[in-house]
Amino acid sequence: MAMSSSITAVSRLVHLTPSISNPKPFLSPKPLFTLFSLKSSSYSPILSSSSLNSSSSSSSSAAAANSSITMSYDKQLVAAKKAASLAARLCQNVQKGLLQSDVHSKSDKSPVTVADYGSQVLVSFVLQKELPDQAFSLVAEEDSGDLRKEESQETLQRITKLVNDTIANDGSYKVSPLSEGDVLTIIDSGMSEGGPNGQHWVLDPIDGTKGFLRGDQYAIALGLLDEGKVVLGVLACPNLPLESIASANQTALNKASAGCLFSAQLSCGTYMESLDGSPPVKVHVSNTENPEEASFFESYEAAHSSHSLSGSIAKKLGVKAPPVRIDSQAKYGALSRGDGAIYLRFPNKGYREKIWDHAAGYIVVAEAGGVATDAAGEPLDFSKGRYLDLDTGIIVTNRKLMPALLKAVQDSLKEEVLPSL
């Protein structure tokens, strides 16, 4: 337990070396600051210099230099799109043949699938292969604790096979197959705590797990923090059609086979393309100023967000259209292209939002001209570690509607108390 706690407290880095003839599985030739090695794994988790004391002179100098220029994240964005797209391919294959045995429960009782773990492995793998010269820190949802249990060996074997098959079928990386030990180590490379210093990837390998299990909406959500700010984001939404879902009924939406990839980079706008690689098109949030013409998104599961509170807010605002209820950060993507004008999220009192549930979606909407705040109108702060400390809930809309929406939210919160966990 002490070793686990110490590992969690630092950024975790796994170096992958460039491909060579007769490649060996990803050995870092001269690992520095080695924390430990796993006999069953060819990976060496090491501590990156960016994870060391932020008061060091080199880190301070780098931070000062970064703050004085406009950074370009083009290489990171290309890598992120590749990573999310490959993970989406694995998830699509699993969802097609979903078996009950693919699902088990974590200690918090939320369902986890082999696709959830496999997605995290692929994203981490691709980012490190595509950006071999950059320090790697990943804040991700899953860890390998449950998979290391004896009863999970069959699940681990299936994850390993799915990952290796996906890498082989893609053909971009000439590498030896990953072992089960490699897979466990890669999963645990997502144990960074994030924070205000350096760069940290933020991943939800399957956002909307329940939607995934139902065959509905889900997203692979990947963002990048730089000095605590979200600077790029990618949302791979395999079941979201390229066409607007503003008027689609739930049955038609669930049967949609096309998939969308949203990508955004700081000061560069938001773009949408198909997961099959259609030319990207720039998107923008709805420009509506009239609440009566606005529609709003909310979580499909009532346990994830108070439907009654959202209804009260919509009534005060004058919204006439019924809510569109879909799972995951696919809502952020749909909002970024104007399918709706408002997204409301009000979980039970005491629930702490995780940064991976919003980082990618946040910048996708922001770069499309939208704005996201908490219920007090304060901006979302992703610099405080793995959790968002915010007031009550999250509201997202365009800048024209935000003043009226914020008033309706605050008036409704005075009348309705959210249930506690």
Side-chain angles (χ1 to χ4, degrees):
M1 181 64 71
M3 172 64 76
S4 176
S5 298
S6 64
I7 295 169
T8 303
V10 298
S11 296
R12 300 287 302 279
L13 170 64
V14 180
H15 272 318
L16 304 181
T17 57
S19 300
I20 57 174
S21 303
N22 301 317
K24 296 181 180 180
F26 318 116
L27 288 171
S28 179
K30 294 182 180 180
L32 302 177
F33 310 113
T34 303
L35 293 176
F36 64 90
S37 61
L38 295 175
K39 292 182 180 179
S40 62
S41 173
S42 59
Y43 282 76
S44 276
I46 66 174
L47 186 63
S48 72
S49 59
S50 66
S51 303
L52 298 176
N53 193 327
S54 61
S55 63
S56 66
S57 59
S58 59
S59 297
S60 299
S61 299
N66 286 343
S67 64
S68 64
I69 60 176
T70 300
M71 295 291 291
S72 172
Y73 302 95
D74 291 344
K75 287 183 63 177
Q76 290 98 323
L77 186 61
V78 170
K81 290 172 67 174
K82 171 70 173 177
S85 297
L86 196 60
R89 198 174 306 164
L90 179 148
C91 294
Q92 287 172 308
N93 289 335
V94 173
Q95 193 180 54
K96 287 177 183 177
L98 189 63
L99 301 174
Q100 188 63 37
S101 60
D102 288 334
V103 184
H104 65 286
S105 293
K106 291 188 298 188
S107 57
D108 67 357
K109 305 302 181 184
S110 63
V112 175
T113 64
V114 292
D116 212 4
Y117 288 112
S119 174
Q120 183 161 319
V121 172
L122 283 174
V123 169
S124 182
F125 171 88
V126 172
L127 290 177
Q128 293 178 78
K129 287 295 289 181
E130 295 292 328
L131 305 166
D133 299 325
Q134 296 185 9
F136 183 73
S137 173
L138 175 66
V139 184
E141 182 174 16
E142 307 302 344
D143 63 54
S144 70
D146 287 346
L147 290 177
R148 294 180 185 274
K149 297 176 181 177
E150 185 66 30
E151 62 267 26
S152 298
Q153 290 310 297
E154 184 178 344
T155 300
L156 176 58
Q157 292 169 7
R158 180 158 164 71
I159 294 166
T160 303
K161 184 179 187 305
L162 279 167
V163 168
N164 283 323
D165 288 350
T166 305
I167 293 172
N169 291 335
D170 176 66
S172 299
Y173 307 104
K174 306 302 180 183
V175 296
S176 300
L178 301 178
S179 69
E180 292 171 13
D182 293 335
V183 166
L184 292 171
T185 305
I186 296 174
I187 290 171
D188 283 340
S189 70
M191 294 171 66
S192 170
E193 291 297 310
N197 301 312
Q199 291 189 357
H200 307 279
W201 292 98
V202 180
L203 171 68
D204 194 334
I206 294 184
D207 184 44
T209 310
K210 291 184 178 180
F212 177 83
L213 296 175
R214 291 195 310 271
D216 294 346
Q217 295 300 319
Y218 66 99
I220 294 89
L222 178 62
L224 178 64
L225 302 183
D226 193 352
E227 303 301 316
K229 305 293 184 183
V230 188
V231 295
L232 70 79
V234 172
L235 293 175
C237 306
N239 289 342
L240 190 69
L242 284 171
E243 299 78 19
S244 172
I245 62 171
S247 58
N249 61 49
Q250 193 68 44
T251 301
L253 178 58
N254 293 346
K255 290 182 178 179
S257 58
C260 289
L261 182 68
F262 297 90
S263 59
Q265 182 182 165
L266 188 65
S267 302
C268 295
T270 296
Y271 291 82
M272 178 187 70
E273 60 196 275
S274 73
L275 279 170
D276 293 334
S278 66
V281 294
K282 195 169 187 177
V283 296
H284 198 279
V285 297
S286 167
N287 285 317
T288 184
E289 299 179 58
N290 185 355
E292 292 186 4
E293 299 174 357
S295 60
F296 72 96
F297 293 106
E298 64 179 353
S299 297
Y300 183 92
E301 300 279 346
H304 293 170
S305 182
S306 172
H307 289 174
S308 63
L309 180 56
S310 295
S312 172
I313 294 167
K315 184 176 180 180
K316 288 182 182 299
L317 197 59
V319 174
K320 296 187 178 300
V324 178
R325 292 172 178 162
I326 61 175
D327 300 282
S328 83
Q329 290 180 66
K331 293 185 286 290
Y332 279 107
L335 196 73
S336 75
R337 67 186 187 187
D339 288 7
I342 299 167
Y343 167 34
L344 302 171
R345 178 176 170 86
F346 294 97
N348 290 338
K349 190 175 182 180
Y351 178 81
R352 296 185 72 190
E353 296 279 6
K354 290 88 171 177
I355 62 173
W356 53 75
D357 285 327
H358 299 282
Y362 170 83
I363 192 167
V364 163
V365 164
E367 285 298 313
V371 58
T373 74
D374 66 13
E378 296 296 325
L380 306 186
D381 185 354
F382 294 89
S383 71
K384 297 183 178 180
R386 296 170 74 87
Y387 294 93
L388 283 172
D389 290 327
L390 46 77
D391 186 330
T392 308
I394 293 175
I395 58 178
V396 189
T397 188
N398 63 40
R399 297 184 182 278
K400 297 174 182 177
L401 280 175
M402 180 55 84
L405 174 60
L406 188 58
K407 184 179 186 304
V409 166
Q410 294 174 347
D411 288 347
S412 295
L413 284 172
K414 293 175 183 177
E415 300 170 2
E416 182 171 343
V417 179
L418 288 169
S420 299
L421 289 174

